[in-house]
Amino acid sequence: MVRDGSAAPDLRAAVIGSPIGHSKSPVLHAAAYRLIGVDCDYSAIDVPESALTGFVTDVRSTPGWRGLSVTMPLKPGIARLADGVSELVEVLGVANTVVVEHAGGDARLQAHNTDVAGISHALAAAGVVDPARGVILGGGGTAAAAVAGLAGLGARAVTVLVRRPGAAADLLRIGSALGIDVSLQSWDSAGERVRSADVVLSTLPPRAADDLGRELAADERFRTQATLLDVAYDPWPSVLADAWERAGGTIVPGLDMLLHQAVEQVRLFFPEVAQDRAAVLGVMCDAVGTTRR
């Protein structure tokens, strides 16, 4: 594990999802591992939903695995397949982090959700506290983390804009469990809702909010002092982020969320290694060529 010349199995970790080629996680984790003195190979592995069960079986039976970073569309599935889940994952039903624990025989997989910490840390750094009018775009697995992230910042209510409200109904249960009122609204009202928001979190895939961004950009009267976190960091800026910034709003790049959640993943993968959170965040920023947070 630490570079001490021991004969322990080579350590491995990976980010999994499909598609996965765009992921910056290998660069972030490699930088962190160098800083804390851990010899661990971290790769990106394309795993479609249909192959997830078999992949998890291989991880359980292969020595050396330390952890998995999990992206869409695998976040709900990995939560179901894990041997144990954190209290937060139990509520949300989605996980983006798996710690592989070895205690003789096959390994045990413990699922966590560091997306929530990534969202709350990124928004707090931008000055978001107790948002009264929060809006979430999209109703998938990252939206569940967004609900929890806003609840952690003191929000008491949030509007979730989705194309099929019925498919996002579980967010109502999640909100109730976390003490935040969730209202599901049709995507048709997105333009109106975001104009009156204090904070907007777009959890949509890349380019999925482009039409909304173009609508706002075309409105010469649109001005805002609200904060937008767009989790889609490639391409950047997104059409939505560009329109928001031009209207006077504050932009929190999806990269900030990725950075903060990755710091938490490294801590979970290697809890026995002393880690300075600020220093780990700093080298991760350096690795992707962005200003230190």
Side-chain angles (χ1 to χ4, degrees), residues 137 161 163 187-192 194-195 202 204-219 222 228 230 235 237-244:
L137 306 180
L161 298 167
R163 301 188 189 281
W187 181 260
D188 293 340
S189 65
E192 173 189 353
V194 300
R195 283 174 170 84
S202 176
L204 298 169
R207 300 181 178 85
D210 283 3
D211 285 347
L212 175 59
R214 284 188 281 266
E215 175 188 333
L216 297 176
D219 183 357
F222 174 53
L228 167 71
D230 189 343
S238 64
V239 174
L240 178 61
D242 184 64
W244 200 264

Side-chain angles (χ1 to χ4, degrees), residues 128-152:
V128 175
V129 180
D130 295 329
R133 296 183 299 277
V135 170
I136 296 171
L137 306 180
T142 306
V147 170
L150 287 176

Side-chain angles (χ1 to χ4, degrees), residues 171-188:
L171 293 177
L172 302 175
R173 175 195 61 79
I174 291 170
S176 178
L178 297 175
I180 180 172
D181 181 46
V182 174
S183 173
L184 298 180
Q185 299 293 331
S186 168
W187 181 260
D188 293 340

